[in-house]
Amino acid sequence: MHIELQQVAPAQIEQRSMQIIRSELSHPLEPENEAVILRAIHTTADFDYADNLCFSPHATKRGVEAFVNGADIVTDTTMAMSGINKRVLARFGGEVYNFIADPEVAAEAKSRGVTRAAVSMERAAAMQKPLVYAIGNAPTALVRLYELWQEGKLTPPALIVGVPVGFVNVIEAKELTMQMDCPWIVARGRKGGSNLAAAICNALLYTASCNERE
């Protein structure tokens, strides 16, 4: 079998990938959210995100503004944390936090019989500042954020990226997030992942960088 490879310079691979994605989309994307959706598809090679990524009104704009103003990010996994472009984030004055490996968080989660992700959200809420929550793995993180919001114990998030993947309470947790009175980007259904959470944050960061140069 003869396989013919495309000759693409390393610096042009991403550009060519985006061209292919655009050519294979079944419908035009909303301009305001296009950068996020394209980055999601580019990261996952899953065109379903053209339809199942949902946005609260002007969530993309609000997310970009949050980063420009120095917002920090809290993730539910070290994988999401590692995938976020911290160099660009730092240029705006932001940092990434992840409390999953904190021994105190682990001990408290064990004593209470809850997940470390849930306790991590409590730790983040105690920071009492607007944050971008990037949740790609644990639906319990989204549920706990919703509960804290209901209890009046959550500083209004700058943005919630709610894209956990899985089968148990994943759909329900995302639907709860979509009831919250704050900006959110949610991948409806079972699909998602830490790589997707990082990709969405990066799309917003890159948009902020482009806007800064204009």
Side-chain angles (χ1 to χ4, degrees):
M1 180 176 64
H2 175 70
I3 298 175
E4 186 172 343
L5 299 176
Q6 297 182 46
Q7 298 302 313
V8 184
Q12 297 177 339
I13 291 175
E14 181 173 312
Q15 180 183 0
R16 178 64 183 131
S17 296
M18 292 299 184
Q19 291 172 346
I20 292 170
I21 292 169
R22 285 190 174 94
S23 71
E24 295 187 12
L25 284 166
S26 60
H27 57 78
L29 300 177
E30 212 177 327
E32 183 177 351
N33 302 322
E34 182 182 50
V36 172
I37 296 171
L38 288 175
R39 181 67 52 182
I41 296 172
H42 179 264
T43 298
T44 62
D46 190 338
F47 281 84
D48 283 354
Y49 290 119
D51 298 306
N52 66 17
L53 268 186
C54 301
F55 300 77
S56 65
H58 306 300
T60 295
K61 181 181 178 183
R62 298 279 294 278
V64 170
E65 289 173 349
F67 286 134
V68 169
N69 293 323
D72 295 330
I73 301 174
V74 173
T75 71
D76 65 329
T77 63
T78 55
M79 181 184 292
M81 183 179 186
S82 66
I84 290 168
N85 191 322
K86 288 171 278 295
R87 179 181 56 81
V88 176
L89 180 63
R91 199 163 72 233
F92 293 113
E95 298 181 62
V96 186
Y97 294 90
N98 180 273
F99 304 111
I100 288 291
D102 187 310
E104 292 182 5
V105 168
E108 183 174 347
K110 185 175 181 180
S111 68
R112 289 167 52 190
V114 298
T115 66
R116 286 183 294 167
V119 177
S120 292
M121 296 304 104
E122 296 170 1
R123 179 70 60 89
M127 295 171 69
Q128 296 186 340
K129 61 181 295 188
L131 298 166
V132 172
Y133 292 87
I135 310 302
N137 182 70
T140 54
L142 290 183
V143 172
R144 190 63 187 127
L145 284 176
Y146 177 81
E147 292 170 345
L148 290 167
W149 173 66
Q150 289 280 78
E151 295 163 8
K153 297 177 181 178
L154 183 68
T155 300
L159 174 70
I160 297 177
V161 178
V163 294
V165 61
F167 299 92
V168 179
N169 290 330
V170 169
I171 294 173
E172 294 81 358
K174 292 173 179 178
E175 295 298 320
L176 287 175
T177 301
M178 294 172 72
Q179 296 179 27
M180 293 177 65
D181 186 20
C182 69
W184 45 258
I185 299 173
V186 168
R188 261 186 152 156
R190 293 172 169 173
K191 291 185 177 182
S194 295
N195 60 336
L196 179 61
I200 291 172
C201 289
N202 287 339
L204 299 173
L205 285 167
Y206 300 153
T207 300
S209 292
C210 290
N211 292 348
E212 188 182 43
R213 290 195 294 268
E214 291 176 355

